[in-house]
Amino acid sequence: MSDQPSKLPQTEPRFSATFDKHTLSEIRRAAATGIYDIRGAGSKRKLPHFDDLLFLGASVSRYPLEGYREKCGTDVVLGTRFAKKPIHLKTPVTIAGMSFGSLSGPAKESLGRGATAAGTSTTTGDGGMTPEERGHSTTLVYQYLPSRYGMNPDDLRKADAIEVVVGQGAKPGGGGMLLGQKITARVAKMRCLPEGIDQRSSCRHPDWTGPDDLEIKIAELREITDWEKPIYVKIGATRPYFDVALAVKAGADVVVLDGMQGGTAATQEVFIEHVGIPILAAIRPAVQALQDMGMHRKVQLIVSGGIRNGADVAKALALGADAVAIGTAALVALGDNDPHLEEEYNKLGTTAGAYDDWHEGRDPAGITTQDAELMKRVDPIKAGHRLANYISVMTMEAQVIARACGKSHLHNLEPEDLVALTVEASAMAKVPLAGTTWIPGASQY
Ligand SMILES: Cc1cc2nc3c(=O)[nH]c(=O)nc-3n(C[C@H](O)[C@H](O)[C@H](O)COP(=O)(O)O)c2cc1C
């Protein structure tokens, strides 16, 4: 008889790190359907981010400011370079461009109400300006996009600023998508396109082949708006030093820089996860370009892509930005992906917090849909109030940090206030690794 045990001990089944569960299910899905995955939201993988930075705070060598007695300003003025009417905001937290079509009318109204109560701006998006948003947003930035869907000169004149969109962080080099399910009669009419048919927005402006054409376009927009309104240029983070320099040379008053964590209404998953660079890596080269041109703080820099709380705001500003923009977080504040709708998310085969099929138009929260019944679930007064609360909390959190660093205005935060937790973040944000004076790649060390 053998003395081998009849059953050998079992080891845990082991999944490959390369072929993990999600990858395997994606291969099966592609094999079964023959179509690529489209979804909304931003990159879901772990990327270098603001969490990889820490503030040093004040101690013996610096003294902090007292919360109750010593002021810490939060206001920002955007568009001081050429515009006769720059934008004055009480907080550097702005609402990013999100299209009507991707979002419902009540969601747009909620954004307008919330931003106005918080003293900040909202931004239109692909598909034009809605009365809901213009009516409730005191400061409204009007996007001028490659698609020109919903664009008209009357709305340009109704705006408080104009944002020329070159690209987005979630899909630099790509255009938007709005699938047929969301093209209702109203959306179709605004875009001058047929109802119920998928729309793919163009990836580049029809009348440009380079930065010289951007210069001509900016000049045209200034003329149409009598040099009153600030002209922003929005770019996806790819080659930030050169792109920012060229946008400034072309005449931008404000540059909006959107990193790869940035949300989108709908695009190919492969695009979201594999094109562009994280905002953490993009801010310093962008600021460097502004500094090299003598334009830092003269042309304002708004950054976006995964901004969630006051610490993110403070870190972005410390790295040299003038303001931030939020998309995904604003939708969550309105009620998107809320656990109280868990049962309904389950019916869609997902769970609260992971729902990203925004292109399908079946959002139980009524935010990323054009379904007449679902959108009734948004109460713009309540949702607007929640957004205003959230922006106010973010602003106060940023203030708490700035005071702890001894700064009397959020804009006095600087890279010197920061250290990095990882070698990658240190190299990207160009601040020392915590506890050292080492910045990888910086020649002075
Ligand atoms: C639902 C939705 C719709 C969007 N629509 C547009 C758009 O029409 N134009 C645009 O430039 N960016 C659009 N974006 C991108 C945002 O303007 C912004 O760059 C991004 O949301 C910022 O990242 P965050 O979502 O992590 O805050 C959209 C984003 C979302 C979530």
Side-chain angles (χ1 to χ4, degrees):
M1 259 181 58
S2 147
D3 46 3
Q4 284 284 326
S6 55
K7 266 194 170 176
L8 289 170
Q10 293 289 302
T11 54
E12 285 280 307
R14 187 172 174 199
F15 280 93
S16 154
T18 310
F19 288 90
D20 61 8
K21 282 186 185 176
H22 177 72
T23 307
L24 294 174
S25 81
E26 269 307 291
I27 294 173
R28 287 186 206 106
R29 197 200 52 76
T33 63
I35 53 175
Y36 50 63
D37 191 28
I38 293 176
R39 68 167 175 87
S43 170
K44 293 197 173 187
R45 60 171 153 148
K46 183 144 177 53
L47 292 164
H49 197 36
F50 295 116
D51 283 342
D52 301 322
L53 302 182
L54 294 174
F55 280 100
L56 287 172
S59 180
V60 180
S61 56
R62 308 270 186 284
Y63 67 87
L65 298 189
E66 195 58 72
Y68 292 112
R69 284 181 276 122
E70 290 171 308
K71 281 206 175 114
C72 176
T74 64
D75 61 308
V76 59
V77 187
L78 300 168
T80 49
R81 185 183 186 189
F82 290 126
K84 286 192 230 162
K85 293 185 178 172
I87 303 283
H88 293 255
L89 303 177
K90 287 188 190 151
T91 167
V93 182
T94 66
I95 305 296
M98 288 183 277
S99 66
F100 169 70
S102 82
L103 296 187
S104 63
K108 275 295 200 185
E109 179 178 337
S110 311
L111 291 173
R113 285 178 181 272
T116 298
T120 191
S121 58
T122 67
T123 312
T124 61
D126 221 1
M129 184 188 282
T130 56
E132 286 96 324
E133 190 170 17
R134 178 63 285 185
H136 292 93
S137 183
T138 308
T139 309
L140 180 58
V141 182
Y142 184 63
Q143 282 199 335
Y144 187 84
L145 293 112
S147 72
R148 306 282 199 276
Y149 291 155
M151 207 300 286
N152 74 61
D154 290 335
D155 286 343
L156 275 178
R157 293 192 196 96
K158 280 189 217 153
D160 300 293
I162 294 159
E163 183 168 305
V164 179
V165 178
V166 178
Q168 253 179 265
K171 47 187 178 192
M177 287 181 173
L178 192 65
L179 301 192
Q181 300 94 306
K182 293 174 84 171
I183 317 285
T184 57
R186 180 178 178 199
V187 174
K189 189 166 174 225
M190 281 181 69
R191 297 181 180 220
C192 304
L193 286 165
E195 220 177 303
I197 308 275
D198 293 352
Q199 290 179 6
R200 284 172 188 255
S201 306
S202 27
C203 62
R204 64 164 201 266
H205 288 258
D207 47 358
W208 328 345
T209 48
D212 292 343
D213 294 321
L214 174 60
E215 190 166 346
I216 294 167
K217 185 55 64 183
I218 291 176
E220 246 173 56
L221 292 168
R222 284 198 195 286
E223 288 299 322
I224 296 173
T225 56
D226 198 20
W227 287 72
E228 284 186 346
K229 301 169 203 291
I231 313 276
Y232 301 12
V233 174
K234 176 174 179 175
I235 54 179
T238 59
R239 298 174 184 84
Y241 182 88
F242 299 104
D243 291 338
V244 168
L246 287 167
V248 171
K249 184 176 169 292
D253 292 307
V254 174
V255 175
V256 181
L257 180 64
D258 190 28
M260 79 170 285
Q261 283 105 330
T264 175
T267 202
Q268 295 94 332
E269 151 103 4
V270 71
F271 219 139
I272 299 176
E273 296 292 0
H274 297 282
V275 184
I277 64 171
I279 194 63
L280 187 72
I283 301 179
R284 292 305 295 275
V287 171
Q288 191 65 52
L290 292 168
Q291 285 169 342
D292 289 352
M293 297 174 92
M295 285 294 179
H296 190 218
R297 306 292 186 209
K298 293 182 185 152
V299 168
Q300 287 76 38
L301 178 68
I302 303 179
V303 303
S304 56
I307 303 274
R308 305 151 299 175
N309 52 43
D312 290 350
V313 177
K315 288 170 189 175
L317 267 50
L319 293 177
D322 296 273
V324 303
I326 56 168
T328 307
L331 301 186
V332 174
L334 298 187
D336 178 68
N337 264 296
D338 201 283
H340 85 274
L341 294 164
E342 181 62 7
E343 266 181 38
E344 300 200 41
Y345 287 119
N346 293 165
K347 281 184 212 154
L348 298 175
T350 183
T351 184
Y355 175 63
D356 57 19
D357 284 329
W358 299 345
H359 58 291
E360 291 181 348
R362 296 192 289 165
D363 180 2
I367 293 169
T368 58
T369 183
Q370 296 301 319
D371 182 288
E373 286 308 309
L374 290 174
M375 72 172 85
K376 280 187 198 150
R377 296 179 177 182
V378 180
D379 175 342
I381 295 177
K382 281 192 189 151
H385 190 62
R386 288 167 58 91
L387 177 63
N389 276 344
Y390 170 59
I391 296 173
S392 149
V393 167
M394 284 175 103
T395 311
M396 287 189 292
E397 285 175 345
Q399 254 181 333
V400 165
I401 287 174
R403 281 202 179 95
C405 294
K407 305 294 158 93
S408 59
H409 198 288
L410 296 185
H411 290 141
N412 295 341
L413 287 164
E414 54 194 324
E416 203 270 337
D417 293 314
L418 292 167
V419 291
L421 282 170
T422 66
V423 174
E424 287 85 355
S426 173
M428 289 178 189
K430 298 186 177 42
V431 300
L433 191 65
T436 77
T437 55
W438 183 51
I439 303 178
S443 51
Q444 69 267 38
Y445 291 105

